[in-house]
Structures are given as C-alpha cells and as structure tokens.
Amino acid sequence: MREKEFLPNLEKLGISEINDMQKRSMAAASESKEIILVAPTGSGKTVAFTLPMLKWLNPPTGRVQAIIIAPSRELVIQIAGVVRELASGFKVSSLYGGHNVEDEVNTLSVTPDIIVATPGRLLDHLKRGNVDPTPTRILILDEYDKSLELGFEDDMRKIFNRLKNVSRIILTSATASTTLPAFIKLDDPLEIDFSSNSGDVRDRMKIYRVETDKDKLESLLGLLKSISKEDIPDRTIVFVNHRESAVRVAEFLKKHKVACALYHGELDQFQREDAISMFNNGSAPILIATDLAARGLDIRGVSNIIHYHQPLTPETYTHRNGRTARVDASGDIYVLTGPDEELKPFIETDGTYRPDPNASSALISDKATIRISAGRKEKLSKGDIVGFLCKEGRLESSEIGPITLSDHHALVAVPSVKALSLIKHLEPKKIKGNRRKLTLL
C-alpha cells in the first residue's frame, strides 16, 4: 500500500502529511519482516508502526491477523483509538485490565482482525481459549522495554510460546535496549533509530528552576497564575512523586477554584479516563499527576510541565518532559525546588523563573464536561450526540467540544455557563429512543 491510500484516514487524526520517521517505517515494511523502531516520546510512533502493519495485513479474514501489545491500559486505549481510525474496514478489539471482561468476551465472539492488549489480559484470554493465536502473522510490541521488565517478562514468554506462526514483528521504544530475552528470536532486524532527534526536542523546550517558599502549595498556585496570561490557563501538567501528594495538591487547587483534574494509579479506570478526557477537552486544563501520566497517554497540546517534585531518575525526567514540545510544538518546563534543595545532576536549566507576585489569573475554564450514560455498546455515535445536543439542547455545533466515546458512556464538552441548565432541560428527552442519565463531572 502507498502513503496516499491512508491520507483520508490520516486526516481524521489531524495529520496532513506523515513525518520522516513514519515514511521510513512505511518503506521498511517492504524491506524487512523485522523492525526495531527507536524514537523519542511525542514523535508519532503509533502511526509509525500502524502504517507498516496495514501494508502487511491481508483483507479481513475473520481471523486474528495482528496483535499489538502495550504495557499499560492507557497506552492500549490510545493505540486502539489510532488504529481504529487508520484501519478502516478491519475490526479492532482492545483488551486490558479494568475493562469489563464480559464486554471483551462479547467483542471477541466476532473474531477481530487486530487485537490491542496488555500482556496480562491477553494471556488470560489465550488461556481461556477466547483468542485463537494460530493465524496471527504480525506482532507489535510497543514500549517493548517496559513490556519486558521484571513482572511482565514471564507473561510475555508464555504469550510468545503460543504465537507459533508470527512471521513479521515490530518492536518500538523511546530508548534503545542492548539485549532482548532469548524467547524473542529475531533473525536480521532492520533498525530505525530516530532517537538523535531528541536534541531537536530539547531546542523547543525552555527549562526553568523555580525557587519556592516553605509553603510549596502556595508557591505552585502563584506559579500557575504567573504563567497564565489569561483566566483560562494553557494546558499544564503538574507532576508529583506520590499518590498522596497528588491528592493533596489537587484538593488545594480545587479549594482555590482552579479547574484541574487528578490522575494516579489508585483511581479506578473510569476515573482515570475521565481525568484525561477533561484535560484534553479543556474543561480541566491543569492535570495533577504521578509518573503514571509520564508515558503512554494520548495527551495533546501541553504547553507547560511543572515538576512539583523533582523526578527520581533521568528516564522519568525525560518522559515527563516528553509530554510537551511534541512534534513541532514548543513547551516550557518548571522545576520547583524548596529552600536549600539542590537540583538533581541530570536537570539542566535555561535559567531561573521568578513568578509575578501580583499575577491574578483565575485559572478557570469556559468548558464543562457532561457524562451521558450510554456509549459504543448501546450503538451511540458521536454524530448521535451532536444531533441530540443541537436539536434538543439548542446548542450550535460550534459550541460542542470534543466527544469521548467509551463502551457504556460518553463524555462531551459544552460551554460551562450552559452546562447545568442544559442537563436539566435534556433529562426528560430521549437520545436514540432512550432516556439516558446526564451528569456534570
């Protein structure tokens, strides 16, 4: 297949032209059956490995042709979203922990062409006989360095033992790995290394040290007000080292009426997905997160990264910063240090930033998120939601923000000044013949 055959679908992702790395990956699919792709976070690796996979796929056969394995449920959700847009005509199923097992079994009853899964959940379905791996020819390991870490390696070995007929494989990572476990047998892989491009990313970043008072929370609030030129702040992620700290920071900011969302590993899957949706759609433009958000998430247009706590390792620092300055964008990074706290040796700054003590940005949002208690499994589409809000809610289509469609619910951004009255007005109305519960997040 040629690049132009994918252009209509690429445009759904907001891509008018694929980058050099993606072009090289497309070409590699004709040169080799084994590809190792190394590229920095935010460079477009998901598209880069999906395009070769599409070149290798046969027309839909009612059998599993390709399996994509990723180390986290968030990354599985992101990849599946991209693959569904690009792989028009192919059935894509996503399998991951925290997802309703019954829904997964039901979706597997009509065999998918492509499976995107975490190692543990994929192995569980293989053991139960819900997935027949025999016809699978294509295997992709995204962030393979994480998938092969201690804790995952045993599952990966068992999966490989069941994938007897894989003849084409792609491994991707943000950092090169010198060794692979013995059960991954590669004959002569073609290596595509764009990691040197990370220097270009650093050129688009400005990194500042921010010396804080004893009250670090007040210092954070002052920084957020200072870097926000308007009442509605640019999209910003505040990274902390511990879940308890994330909760404390989020509660403090919410107490001060800051439009923020909370993201950490102890939240359930739906709460985490809601937080990312609210961050992406602008109703919560500030995200307070642990390092779980440092990689593997579909987060777009991040202007600022704030290290409330200094990261513990150089790798974590790199992945945190990689949430901004993605593709051709620029980004600002702020490292907060308390009195007498030294910078970690791997942190190189471009200077010191002193917040304006008179800054008074309100740190609010002009958008709010409404949850609708129906989703993909109830045959609800984004078009249905737009039509419902325009016809019954009397909104203009331009007032409707991004829509996130999940299995059994949907999230939609609407003007915050209209959100409560909109819910009250729409509660007795039917969408696709059924009344659904609407909730303000």
Side-chain angles (χ1 to χ4, degrees):
M1 288 187 177
R2 295 179 296 277
E3 173 190 336
K4 67 179 182 180
E5 296 180 55
F6 298 114
L7 283 179
N9 292 336
L10 285 166
E11 287 168 358
K12 293 180 184 177
L13 300 172
I15 300 172
S16 57
E17 182 180 1
I18 60 177
N19 61 31
D20 290 343
M21 177 189 67
Q22 292 158 351
K23 290 176 181 176
R24 182 68 190 99
S25 295
M26 282 276 286
S30 301
E31 301 170 24
S32 176
K33 296 180 179 180
E34 301 170 344
I35 300 170
I36 297 178
L37 172 62
V38 181
T41 299
S43 57
K45 286 198 296 294
T46 303
V47 171
F49 69 67
T50 300
L51 296 181
M53 179 190 73
L54 293 176
K55 289 184 72 171
W56 289 338
L57 284 173
N58 294 322
T61 61
R63 308 176 82 186
V64 179
Q65 297 189 57
I67 293 177
I68 303 170
I69 300 176
S72 71
R73 65 189 72 182
E74 288 80 10
L75 192 50
V76 165
I77 293 167
Q78 175 194 333
I79 293 169
V82 172
V83 173
R84 284 191 180 101
E85 294 288 5
L86 294 181
S88 180
F90 292 92
K91 182 183 179 185
V92 181
S93 292
S94 53
L95 315 173
Y96 53 89
H99 198 200
N100 188 292
V101 176
E102 186 177 342
D103 282 343
E104 291 185 351
V105 172
N106 289 338
T107 194
L108 291 170
S109 64
V110 178
T111 305
D113 303 284
I114 304 164
I115 287 176
V116 188
T118 53
R121 185 53 68 93
L122 175 61
L123 182 59
D124 183 58
H125 283 292
L126 290 171
K127 288 178 176 178
R128 294 171 184 266
N130 297 328
V131 174
D132 176 11
T134 308
T136 303
R137 299 180 301 109
I138 304 164
L139 177 63
I140 298 171
L141 302 186
D142 192 30
E143 302 283 7
Y144 73 89
D145 54 326
K146 295 292 291 182
S147 294
L148 296 172
E149 283 181 352
L150 187 66
F152 279 121
E153 188 169 337
D154 189 50
D155 285 350
M156 294 296 293
R157 181 183 295 104
K158 292 174 181 177
I159 290 169
F160 266 75
N161 287 340
R162 287 169 166 81
L163 296 174
K164 303 292 188 182
N165 295 313
V166 167
S167 58
R168 299 175 186 271
I169 188 167
I170 300 176
L171 308 182
T172 85
S173 178
T175 53
S177 176
T178 54
T179 60
L180 291 172
F183 61 82
I184 299 182
K185 297 179 175 64
L186 300 182
D187 294 324
D188 186 23
L190 190 158
E191 296 190 21
I192 303 172
D193 191 346
F194 274 73
S195 58
S196 60
N197 288 21
S198 59
D200 299 334
V201 176
R202 177 64 179 91
D203 293 339
R204 300 198 305 273
M205 295 176 177
K206 292 295 182 182
I207 303 176
Y208 302 101
R209 179 176 184 171
V210 181
E211 297 172 344
T212 70
D213 299 326
K214 287 184 178 180
D215 192 332
K216 205 170 188 179
L217 287 171
E218 288 287 354
S219 297
L220 171 64
L221 181 61
L223 173 62
L224 288 168
K225 290 181 176 181
S226 185
I227 64 177
S228 298
K229 300 178 179 63
E230 308 290 341
D231 282 343
I232 300 170
D234 292 332
R235 203 164 292 166
T236 300
I237 303 179
V238 179
F239 279 109
V240 301
N241 286 347
H242 309 288
R243 173 183 62 83
E244 295 81 6
S245 301
V247 172
R248 185 172 65 254
V249 171
E251 288 178 347
F252 173 83
L253 293 179
K254 288 178 181 178
K255 181 181 177 181
H256 286 79
K257 310 301 182 185
V258 176
C260 65
L262 174 65
Y263 187 93
H264 61 73
E266 294 300 313
L267 298 172
D268 67 36
Q269 180 64 24
F270 297 116
Q271 290 173 309
R272 301 214 300 261
E273 290 176 17
D274 288 353
I276 297 304
S277 293
M278 292 171 67
F279 183 64
N280 276 333
N281 70 26
S283 60
I286 296 172
L287 184 69
I288 316 303
T290 60
D291 289 322
L292 185 65
R295 61 193 292 179
L297 287 179
D298 182 17
I299 294 176
R300 304 175 293 276
V302 178
S303 297
N304 307 299
I305 297 295
I306 297 176
H307 299 275
Y308 183 82
H309 293 138
Q310 293 190 63
L312 301 178
T313 66
E315 292 77 18
T316 301
Y317 180 62
T318 298
H319 286 298
R320 284 183 180 184
N321 291 348
R323 296 290 89 195
T324 190
R326 296 169 75 87
V327 190
D328 296 320
S330 59
D332 292 330
I333 294 160
Y334 302 88
V335 184
L336 275 61
T337 57
D340 303 320
E341 181 182 0
E342 295 296 326
L343 280 175
K344 295 286 180 69
F346 52 79
I347 297 178
E348 177 184 320
T349 68
D350 298 310
T352 299
Y353 181 86
R354 292 177 174 81
D356 178 1
N358 298 314
S360 58
S361 299
L363 305 177
I364 57 176
S365 176
D366 59 351
K367 301 181 180 69
T369 297
I370 292 176
R371 176 199 290 271
I372 301 172
S373 64
R376 196 180 294 113
K377 297 297 183 182
E378 288 76 31
K379 308 300 182 185
L380 195 65
S381 70
K382 293 182 180 181
D384 294 328
I385 295 171
V386 171
F388 177 63
L389 294 176
C390 290
K391 181 180 178 181
E392 302 291 353
R394 299 172 188 169
L395 290 182
E396 298 294 330
S397 59
S398 60
E399 295 181 288
I400 301 171
I403 298 171
T404 303
L405 200 60
S406 300
D407 283 349
H408 296 292
H409 74 274
L411 304 180
V412 56
V414 299
S416 56
V417 294
K418 296 184 178 182
L420 288 174
S421 60
L422 189 64
I423 290 174
K424 184 177 180 180
H425 176 72
L426 290 174
E427 276 180 337
K429 308 292 185 180
K430 292 183 178 180
I431 179 169
K432 290 199 77 172
N434 294 285
R435 288 180 61 181
R436 301 294 183 183
K437 184 176 181 182
L438 276 67
T439 309
L440 183 65
L441 292 187

